Amino acid sequence: MNIYLPLKLFIILLIFCFSLLGTAQSKTPKDSISNDLNEVIITQNKKAFSNQNGNIKLDVANSIYNAIPNTLDLLAKLPTVQISADRESISVVGKGNPLIYIDNQKVGMNDLNVLAVADIKTIEIIQNPSAKYEAEGRAVILITRKLSKKDSFRTEISEVASFKKDYNNYLGFNSSFKKNKIEWKANFNYNQLQPWESHTIAYEIPLANITSNYDVEAFTKRAQFIFGGGLFYKINDEDSFSFNINSKLQKDTFPINTITQNKNQEVVNNVVTYSDNDGDKNFVNSFFNYNKKIKSIDTQLFTGLQYSNFDQTSWSQVQNNFNDTQFELAQIRDQKFKVNVFSGRIDMEKKLKNEIKFEIGGLYSAADSKSDFDIFYYETNTNEISHYDFKEENLAGYSQISGKIKQIDFSVGVRVENTNVNGKFKTDLLPLIDKNYTNFFPKAQFTFPIDSTKSISVNYAKSILRPNYSSLSQGATYINPYFLYARNINLDPTFTNEIASTFQYHDKSVKLSYYQNKNPVYSSFIYDEDDNIMTFKEVNLDKESGISLDFELPFNYKFWTTTNSVIFILEKIEDSSAVFLSSTPYLYYYSNNEFKFPKDYTFVVGWWGATKQNKGVFERSANFIMDMSVSKKIRNWNITLNCNDIFRNTIYKEQFTINGVNSKSRYLVDAHEISIGIRYSFGKIKETEFKEKNIDENSNRIR
């Protein structure tokens, strides 16, 4: 039975009716919540990292990490967190792509780029999220911002000079102000960046007697304007509303140089390709939230609306030089991608007897994207024009009950999500993609205490991972006359079932988990024999499974604090189109060591890495990365010196055979960095009440 229409109407009516109900409620002054929100100031030194049931928390505000210039680089310092080379996605070792929350509010990658590090209090990696969180995620990265209550202001100005292959500069301004019931925040950052990257791929197609390899470098000049602001108004101690808007405007100029050797049968070509590229990436996100305490039924209500827009353009002019002759123009590629997302949600929470809490909620979201490209071919003097429209609607509802029965903590819930997808080229009469599916996602967790220092927890979860919207577009990047990087409009979501158990002893833990993935997404080769073009793009493989044993081992001795993660992982990826190599265990390790010295000096040295990975289809090389930093506080000044990737080891190697193509690749990222950061703060707010709730559960897909 199709529940899509009635569920959609129910969610919309619920949001509307409760918004009216909230407006009609009387205002009764009360100070209980104010007392609950008061911040406790601890004067003793706190550990930067803490561990509870395998969930790692970093105290950013009171550590050396508050001097890192941007949030993505800060997240990269956490155990198990991996930032992709293009800085467009985040993964957690053994968990895949996590959900990202700010103050229990769902956000995406673009929102992280507009969040000032100076505004962050703590970051926590939640390994076993409950049913209240979206089904799209096996882990949650929860960012908590600094909170305060007193009327005052605070302004912070920061400057970071970064030396990689080229010079990079980060200038930031962050300010907050509170007076009576009104509070506002504003931030502005201007970044002048020059990232560099390089990679090589050597592949062969034995059946076609083709061998090819290329070496490509990209030099980018990037200007970023990041700004945001928000207003919070407290109606009374239990009711409030807020409005927030943030944006990132980015301009890229990036020439790409490629050297290619291609052999097809007996024909050998040595080609130098030069691509002149310009691009823009602009993002804006705004939302309005309303919180209301319904006293007649003693229930906390939240309703909200959100709108997001992502607009990307890319223009390229490509020319090739065959066999040391002369450069000749090949193509002009003009590509545009835009996505708009509107959503509304409602959440209700009621506390029952005996510390039992019941929660229920729903969400409706609608995304509309347009992907256009226009390619002019100089050789034939022709144009290829294509317009692709994609629409997706999601309806979600959840119910959850949690609390404690005797000594056992529990959380049990279920989430139902309906998805309606339509994708169509404008020249076609019928849609290429037309899907409507409904799925249930149960989640449960139980924690059994052994004594005051030891406990065992068990959890089960089913989850889904949907491709981001730009992955479902028709964009492509020209590398050389024989090779393209492309997106895939036919990607399906990945479904995961996972069961895990954790043993906690004081602040140390060991966790055993097992998962199975259906339709995992990985990169693959598609060869067009007629045009002699290889396309590299993401596809759905058949299945994936894995088992891991995770040790979290923090220690503290006088002025030395160390946090260590050691994970033994065995993963197996299988697909009918791929050659199965082998599947053997590999080791991920992480260590962070902080030393507190007199006169407010802090020294940190950390490293992480992984042994060689054999995952059935893919074989990946070992790596080892080491970072160091030292920080000094002088009154309102904070000066930090960082050295990242000391040994220049950010090199990724991979090989696999799929669709009859044997491939070996090597990726180099410009991660070796020496930077000095200076931050000056004036004014003071001990606590703030500013808060917003991001209501779009798909915001991490807006890219």
Side-chain angles (χ1 to χ4, degrees):
M1 182 178 67
N2 187 350
I3 66 168
Y4 179 72
L5 181 59
L7 185 56
K8 174 180 177 179
L9 293 174
F10 173 75
I11 296 296
I12 294 174
L13 286 173
L14 212 56
I15 294 172
F16 177 74
C17 291
F18 275 111
S19 296
L20 292 179
L21 175 63
T23 306
Q25 293 290 328
S26 61
K27 305 174 184 177
T28 305
K30 194 175 181 180
D31 199 46
S32 61
I33 290 185
S34 299
N35 292 333
D36 291 338
L37 289 175
N38 282 339
E39 184 178 49
V40 178
I41 301 175
I42 301 175
T43 56
Q44 69 181 40
N45 291 331
K46 296 174 61 179
K47 293 181 181 179
F49 289 90
S50 60
N51 170 48
Q52 181 65 38
N53 286 330
N55 298 330
I56 302 296
K57 178 182 275 190
L58 169 63
D59 180 6
V60 179
N62 299 304
S63 71
I64 192 173
Y65 301 101
N66 60 21
I68 294 175
N70 62 77
T71 304
L72 285 183
D73 287 339
L74 172 60
L75 288 171
K77 300 293 185 182
L78 271 69
T80 72
V81 175
Q82 307 280 289
I83 308 296
S84 65
D86 60 4
R87 301 173 68 85
E88 294 291 338
S89 64
I90 296 177
S91 63
V92 173
V93 174
K95 289 286 188 176
N97 301 115
L99 295 170
I100 305 168
Y101 271 73
I102 298 177
D103 291 339
N104 288 316
Q105 305 145 23
K106 177 74 162 34
V107 301
M109 291 294 294
N110 287 299
D111 297 275
L112 291 180
N113 284 317
V114 301
L115 176 65
V117 173
D119 218 16
I120 299 175
K121 182 178 181 181
T122 62
I123 302 176
E124 183 176 7
I125 305 172
I126 301 175
Q127 298 283 353
N128 305 308
S130 67
K132 182 175 182 178
Y133 295 101
E134 293 79 356
E136 191 171 347
R138 296 166 56 201
V140 170
I141 295 179
L142 174 61
I143 300 174
T144 302
R145 304 193 313 165
K146 297 175 183 176
L147 300 176
S148 152
K149 279 184 62 67
K150 295 187 177 181
D151 291 354
S152 188
F153 78 96
R154 175 173 177 167
T155 297
E156 185 172 280
I157 301 172
S158 62
E159 165 68 19
V160 176
S162 165
F163 301 89
K164 296 186 176 182
K165 272 188 175 294
D166 291 301
Y167 176 71
N168 298 271
N169 189 80
Y170 303 83
L171 176 64
F173 171 88
N174 187 66
S175 184
S176 57
F177 174 82
K178 184 179 185 299
K179 183 68 174 178
N180 298 326
K181 295 183 177 182
I182 297 177
E183 183 177 358
W184 64 262
K185 288 197 172 198
N187 67 281
F188 175 81
N189 295 77
Y190 173 67
N191 302 328
Q192 191 68 44
L193 311 178
Q194 300 187 80
W196 169 90
E197 63 179 315
S198 172
H199 70 266
T200 62
I201 291 183
Y203 65 89
E204 62 177 349
I205 312 173
L207 293 178
N209 195 17
I210 292 175
T211 60
S212 184
N213 63 77
Y214 72 79
D215 191 336
V216 60
E217 282 187 301
F219 303 85
T220 303
K221 291 187 180 296
R222 174 175 298 159
Q224 284 182 343
F225 293 92
I226 300 172
F227 52 91
L231 175 69
F232 171 74
Y233 181 74
K234 182 178 179 180
I235 301 171
N236 55 49
D237 287 335
E238 296 173 324
D239 305 337
S240 63
F241 71 82
S242 64
F243 175 77
N244 190 81
I245 184 169
N246 53 62
S247 181
K248 182 183 76 169
L249 307 179
Q250 177 174 304
K251 175 71 174 179
D252 287 340
T253 302
F254 52 106
I256 300 177
N257 301 322
T258 309
I259 299 174
T260 306
Q261 183 182 67
N262 182 271
K263 180 182 179 182
N264 189 342
Q265 306 294 330
E266 300 302 322
V267 179
V268 178
N269 283 307
N270 295 294
V271 187
V272 177
T273 302
Y274 177 79
S275 177
D276 189 15
N277 306 279
D278 289 305
D280 294 300
K281 286 185 179 181
N282 299 325
F283 168 75
V284 62
N285 183 34
S286 61
F287 45 86
F288 175 85
N289 295 327
Y290 177 64
N291 288 279
K292 178 66 187 177
K293 180 66 175 290
I294 306 176
K295 298 175 183 177
S296 59
I297 56 175
D298 192 25
T299 299
Q300 189 67 42
L301 168 73
F302 166 81
T303 61
L305 301 173
Q306 181 173 0
Y307 170 77
S308 300
N309 170 267
F310 178 66
D311 195 346
Q312 180 177 1
T313 63
S314 176
W315 180 91
S316 304
Q317 185 179 63
V318 182
Q319 49 187 323
N320 295 308
N321 183 331
F322 285 81
N323 303 313
D324 293 324
T325 53
Q326 63 180 8
F327 279 98
E328 294 182 358
L329 292 171
Q331 296 181 8
I332 291 180
R333 306 174 69 89
D334 187 6
Q335 302 179 84
K336 298 177 181 178
F337 173 73
K338 177 184 290 187
V339 58
N340 297 285
V341 181
F342 170 81
S343 58
R345 75 179 291 170
I346 181 170
D347 293 292
M348 291 190 296
E349 176 184 314
K350 182 175 177 61
K351 291 184 179 179
L352 307 175
K353 295 181 179 179
N354 301 323
E355 301 183 35
I356 304 298
K357 182 170 64 176
F358 177 70
E359 298 167 275
I360 189 171
L363 175 137
Y364 168 73
S365 69
D368 184 354
S369 72
K370 297 183 181 298
S371 174
D372 304 330
F373 78 78
D374 183 349
I375 303 178
F376 176 75
Y377 299 93
Y378 280 94
E379 184 177 356
T380 59
N381 197 32
T382 58
N383 273 81
E384 180 184 356
I385 300 175
S386 178
H387 303 283
Y388 179 73
D389 293 341
F390 175 84
K391 295 182 179 180
E392 180 180 291
E393 286 186 303
N394 286 289
L395 286 166
Y398 75 90
S399 178
Q400 174 176 293
I401 188 167
S402 59
K404 179 180 289 188
I405 298 179
K406 294 184 178 179
Q407 298 300 316
I408 300 174
D409 289 303
F410 73 95
S411 173
V412 179
V414 65
R415 192 175 190 90
V416 58
E417 295 187 357
N418 175 269
T419 303
N420 186 20
V421 180
N422 183 280
K424 180 180 178 297
F425 287 99
K426 287 188 176 180
T427 55
D428 294 342
L429 294 177
L430 298 176
L432 177 67
I433 299 173
D434 189 3
K435 301 176 183 178
N436 192 324
Y437 54 90
T438 301
N439 299 102
F440 290 84
F441 301 95
K443 292 190 176 185
Q445 178 170 326
F446 300 89
T447 300
F448 306 91
I450 299 174
D451 55 33
S452 60
T453 63
K454 297 185 287 292
S455 65
I456 295 176
S457 63
V458 179
N459 75 280
Y460 165 78
K462 181 180 179 181
S463 59
I464 185 174
L465 178 62
R466 297 182 178 91
N468 63 65
Y469 296 119
S470 63
S471 295
L472 297 170
S473 68
Q474 57 174 338
T477 301
Y478 185 102
I479 300 297
N480 61 46
Y482 316 103
F483 200 95
L484 293 174
Y485 277 90
R487 296 164 181 171
N488 186 357
I489 61 178
N490 294 302
L491 282 178
D492 289 323
T494 300
F495 291 89
T496 300
N497 283 281
E498 181 176 19
I499 186 169
S501 180
T502 304
F503 172 73
Q504 179 86 20
Y505 176 66
H506 289 292
D507 58 351
K508 300 169 180 61
S509 65
V510 58
K511 177 181 179 181
L512 178 66
S513 61
Y514 174 77
Y515 76 90
Q516 288 184 333
N517 283 343
K518 179 183 177 183
N519 298 327
V521 175
Y522 285 92
S523 296
S524 177
F525 292 102
I526 309 295
Y527 177 64
D528 186 331
E529 186 176 355
D530 294 333
D531 293 331
N532 188 27
I533 292 178
M534 180 73 77
T535 301
F536 191 62
K537 64 181 180 181
E538 291 184 329
V539 299
N540 291 105
L541 302 185
D542 292 340
K543 60 182 178 179
E544 177 183 12
S545 60
I547 186 170
S548 64
L549 186 62
D550 181 349
F551 295 88
E552 301 296 334
L553 304 169
F555 294 97
N556 186 39
Y557 179 74
K558 295 183 179 179
F559 60 90
W560 174 38
T561 302
T562 178
T563 300
N564 304 284
S565 296
V566 180
I567 309 176
F568 297 90
I569 307 170
L570 175 62
E571 295 176 314
K572 183 168 66 173
I573 304 167
E574 299 176 80
D575 190 78
S576 58
S577 67
V579 173
F580 188 86
L581 300 173
S582 64
S583 181
T584 57
Y586 68 94
L587 172 67
Y588 166 88
Y589 52 91
Y590 167 96
S591 181
N592 179 83
N593 301 271
E594 181 176 320
F595 302 88
K596 292 283 189 180
F597 294 115
K599 298 184 178 180
D600 285 328
Y601 279 99
T602 302
F603 175 71
V604 174
V605 58
W607 56 85
W608 71 269
T611 59
K612 186 177 180 180
Q613 304 172 36
N614 294 297
K615 299 186 176 185
V617 173
F618 300 95
E619 182 180 295
R620 292 170 180 164
S621 64
N623 56 358
F624 172 79
I625 310 296
M626 176 177 279
D627 303 328
M628 296 176 63
S629 60
V630 60
S631 176
K632 166 68 174 174
K633 288 185 178 180
I634 306 173
R635 295 183 180 177
N636 291 344
W637 296 84
N638 187 296
I639 302 172
T640 303
L641 177 66
N642 282 298
C643 185
N644 296 323
D645 189 15
I646 296 171
F647 301 113
R648 302 177 185 265
N649 282 340
T650 308
I651 302 172
Y652 303 98
K653 297 179 181 179
E654 180 180 77
Q655 66 180 43
F656 59 93
T657 299
I658 195 166
N659 284 330
V661 181
N662 306 325
S663 165
K664 292 184 178 180
S665 60
R666 181 173 181 263
Y667 297 85
L668 287 82
V669 180
D670 190 17
H672 177 70
E673 175 187 34
I674 297 176
S675 68
I676 182 167
I678 301 175
R679 190 174 75 250
Y680 178 73
S681 304
F682 58 92
K684 190 174 183 181
I685 297 181
K686 292 184 178 178
E687 314 162 58
T688 74
E689 291 182 307
F690 185 91
K691 51 188 176 181
E692 71 277 340
K693 187 164 185 176
N694 192 343
I695 62 175
D696 178 18
E697 298 182 349
N698 293 291
S699 60
N700 61 321
R701 302 170 61 202
I702 305 175
R703 60 180 189 272

